[in-house]
């Protein structure tokens, strides 16, 4: 269905119709939106600004498009960072378990690296999946500007 056309990228212009949080003890967030497919031409080099129009409300959105080569590079960097986060996570985890499980002699405190490893575990635990998803989804198109309120619009990647 979505046959890739060289030099172009397909994105989805998202208009948030409503975003409501209901409930008191158990909060439920209900978001409804409308997506509209749009094809954007990639520049021959560097990056280029393009204007997209939201078909729901006619708002004009400013987006930045990068070349395919640059998009692939950024995506690869994000995936490498995700892989590094996984490695750091396991290394820090192993270290924390090792150091934390030791019985220390009286009066000796844990090494400085111990809290660092605990912090690394938390940071990489969050960063790894985020970087991985961003790397997978990155299509070189980012929204630069939109009329206020900005959050009602988004430019979403479309899987080719
Ligand atoms: Zn709109």
């Amino acid at each position: 269905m979505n046959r890739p056309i060289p030099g172009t990228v397909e994105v989805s212009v998202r208009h948030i119709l409503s975003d409501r949080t209901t409930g008191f003890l158990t909060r439920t967030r209900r978001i409804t939106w409308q997506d509209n497919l749009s094809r954007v031409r990639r520049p021959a080099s560097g990056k280029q600004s393009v204007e997209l129009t939201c078909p729901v409300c006619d708002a004009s959105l400013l987006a930045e498009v990068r070349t395919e080569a640059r998009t692939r590079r950024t995506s690869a960097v994000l995936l490498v960072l995700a892989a590094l986060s996984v490695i750091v996570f396991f290394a820090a985890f192993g270290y924390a378990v090792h150091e934390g499980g030791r019985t220390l002699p009286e009066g000796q405190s844990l090494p400085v690296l111990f809290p660092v490893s605990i912090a690394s575990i938390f940071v990489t635990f969050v960063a790894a999946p985020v970087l991985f998803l961003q790397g997978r989804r990155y299509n070189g198109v980012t929204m630069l500007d939109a009329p206020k309120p900005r959050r009602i619009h988004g430019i979403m990647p479309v899987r080719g």
Side-chain angles (χ1 to χ4, degrees):
M1 192 176 75
N2 289 330
R3 204 158 38 87
I5 298 171
T8 68
V9 57
E10 208 168 39
V11 292
S12 193
V13 175
R14 178 165 296 181
H15 179 103
I16 308 276
L17 297 164
S18 78
D19 184 350
R20 270 196 300 265
T21 308
T22 50
F24 178 62
L25 288 171
T26 48
R27 294 169 81 81
T28 15
R29 195 173 179 202
R30 232 196 164 82
I31 309 174
T32 50
W33 66 77
Q34 198 172 319
D35 274 357
N36 291 281
L37 285 182
S38 195
R39 195 171 284 282
V40 176
R41 185 166 291 281
R42 285 193 194 274
S45 65
K47 55 192 178 182
Q48 199 172 53
S49 298
V50 289
E51 208 175 281
L52 291 163
T53 309
C54 171
V56 179
C57 68
D58 267 341
S60 62
L61 316 172
L62 194 66
E64 192 178 76
V65 193
R66 283 155 203 272
T67 60
E68 194 137 351
R70 185 128 171 218
T71 300
R72 265 203 298 269
R73 258 203 313 274
T74 306
S75 168
V77 167
L78 288 168
L79 291 175
V80 166
L81 287 175
L84 284 176
S85 292
V86 171
I87 294 165
V88 170
F89 173 81
F90 282 110
F93 192 78
Y95 175 83
V97 166
H98 174 77
E99 284 295 334
R102 271 203 316 190
T103 344
L104 292 166
E106 195 75 40
Q108 199 183 318
S109 56
L110 283 162
V112 185
L113 216 54
F114 187 73
V116 174
S117 70
I118 298 293
S120 308
I121 291 168
F122 283 106
V123 170
T124 53
F125 183 74
V126 175
V130 170
L131 288 165
F132 178 73
L133 286 177
Q134 290 298 312
R136 288 273 308 267
R137 285 162 52 104
Y138 186 74
N139 64 353
V141 184
T142 42
M143 191 167 83
L144 289 179
D145 203 17
K148 282 179 170 51
R150 250 189 87 145
R151 64 193 152 79
I152 71 163
H153 288 108
I155 296 172
M156 315 317 264
V158 175
R159 301 198 81 149

